[in-house]
Amino acid sequence: MQKPNNRLANQTCIVTGANSGIGEAVATAIGRDGANVVINYVSHPEIAEEIAHKISIDNLCGDAIAIKCDVSKESEVIALFKQTINHFGTVDICVPNAGLQRDAALHEMELKDWQLVLDVNLTGQFLCAREAIREFLHRGMRPEVSRSLGKIIQMSSVHQLIPWAGHANYAASKGAINMLMQSICQEYASYKIRCNSIAPGAIQTPINKNVWGNPEALNDLNKLIPYKRIGVPEDIGSTAVWLASDESEYINGTTIFVDGGMTCYPGFTTNG
Ligand code: BGC
């Protein structure tokens, strides 16, 4: 593994949904760049504890703890921030990443599956962003660690742009993330709060195992990726670290697509 740069030393970051896939890679990368990290989870505490343990025993990393919280519940998100602030003193970086899919054809989609996806993917990000902003404003600048008051990195998807048949609830939640992110940027940029999104393409995680776990489906998926490989969680981790650091200080209100070119409509390469 590459040597870390310590760009986030003495900062604290909450990553939601950090006990698997993209969240785990983001938390690990951010920890390896020197930040303290909160590994948020909703199930499998033993996995979250293990990830936190691995980060905290690595002497190149910051410290890490695991905290349980269902991001769709207001009181739990408030408690997550309270516990983090009690433990680490403040929050400098927030990565609302927790998300899920409940796929169905629209005419068969049950209201509970629509609602759950919106509750976790969208309301969860609103609640985390709100608590982060409250803490940033309350705490004030820490010029010794960052030129920004705080950084929010929302986890979006290529499906904030690409419509997705059979996944209307998920695509709607990600489309809304873009407007949430840009509105936060517009509202709080003058306070020196930066809010951006990362929009991963197909990244090999448990959420899409049904695709990469099946050679035929993986072959079809590769047709959608000009770069001709499925992404790995570390592709998102390295982007998140950079977005959280002062190296990207002037980047605000933007979505960075990390998708091997998926949003360049490869179907048009030989057609149209
Ligand atoms: C979804 C994955 C999918 C990818 C590309 C992501 O946002 O969660 O299941 O493979 O988009 O379609």
Side-chain angles (χ1 to χ4, degrees), residues 103-129:
D103 311 330
L106 193 91
H107 68 284
E108 285 168 352
M109 190 177 286
E110 292 185 31
L111 178 59
K112 69 172 177 36
D113 287 337
W114 169 268
Q115 201 67 59
L116 177 68
V117 170
L118 271 290
D119 284 352
V120 173
N121 296 13
L122 181 60
T123 306
Q125 294 211 19
F126 153 69
L127 290 171
C128 291

Side-chain angles (χ1 to χ4, degrees), residues 154-255:
Q154 303 199 192
M155 202 52 69
S156 183
S157 162
V158 288
H159 298 296
Q160 77 168 42
L161 193 68
I162 304 176
W164 207 12
H167 308 74
N169 46 1
Y170 183 84
S173 74
K174 296 301 183 179
I177 286 298
N178 183 45
M179 273 296 139
L180 175 64
M181 179 277 288
Q182 289 189 304
S183 301
I184 292 173
C185 166
Q186 200 185 61
E187 196 165 342
Y188 294 99
S190 63
Y191 295 89
K192 295 273 181 288
I193 293 174
R194 294 200 291 123
C195 186
N196 293 290
S197 296
I198 297 176
I203 307 294
Q204 189 166 351
T205 70
I207 210 172
N208 52 9
K209 191 162 191 280
N210 60 327
V211 180
W212 54 261
N214 166 337
E216 219 170 283
L218 182 60
N219 191 41
D220 282 348
L221 174 66
N222 270 323
K223 294 184 189 144
L224 301 176
I225 308 172
Y227 203 66
K228 298 291 168 226
R229 76 158 167 87
I230 190 166
V232 290
E234 292 69 26
D235 291 322
I236 309 301
S238 54
T239 309
V241 174
W242 178 73
L243 259 187
S245 78
D246 279 352
E247 285 178 6
S248 63
E249 187 194 0
Y250 206 51
I251 294 183
N252 204 4
T254 290
T255 299

Side-chain angles (χ1 to χ4, degrees), residues 48-180:
E49 292 292 351
E50 173 67 23
I51 295 166
H53 179 68
K54 265 201 229 147
I55 295 173
S56 43
I57 58 163
D58 186 334
N59 55 19
L60 297 171
C61 293
D63 199 1
I65 55 170
I67 301 181
K68 181 173 184 186
C69 159
D70 174 345
V71 296
S72 68
K73 306 271 181 343
E74 183 177 33
S75 59
E76 295 190 27
V77 175
I78 291 172
L80 167 70
F81 275 76
K82 215 172 183 185
Q83 265 179 274
T84 303
I85 294 161
N86 281 344
H87 191 89
F88 287 124
T90 188
V91 178
D92 303 277
I93 305 155
C94 177
V95 187
N97 160 78
L100 45 78
Q101 290 181 212
R102 288 293 179 274
D103 311 330
L106 193 91
H107 68 284
E108 285 168 352
M109 190 177 286
E110 292 185 31
L111 178 59
K112 69 172 177 36
D113 287 337
W114 169 268
Q115 201 67 59
L116 177 68
V117 170
L118 271 290
D119 284 352
V120 173
N121 296 13
L122 181 60
T123 306
Q125 294 211 19
F126 153 69
L127 290 171
C128 291
R130 187 188 70 183
E131 291 315 301
I133 292 167
R134 285 179 176 169
E135 171 57 14
F136 300 160
L137 296 174
H138 167 80
R139 179 226 322 129
M141 289 299 276
R142 297 212 303 142
E144 69 284 11
V145 298
S146 178
R147 290 195 291 271
S148 303
L149 182 67
K151 282 90 48 157
I152 298 169
I153 302 168
Q154 303 199 192
M155 202 52 69
S156 183
S157 162
V158 288
H159 298 296
Q160 77 168 42
L161 193 68
I162 304 176
W164 207 12
H167 308 74
N169 46 1
Y170 183 84
S173 74
K174 296 301 183 179
I177 286 298
N178 183 45
M179 273 296 139
L180 175 64

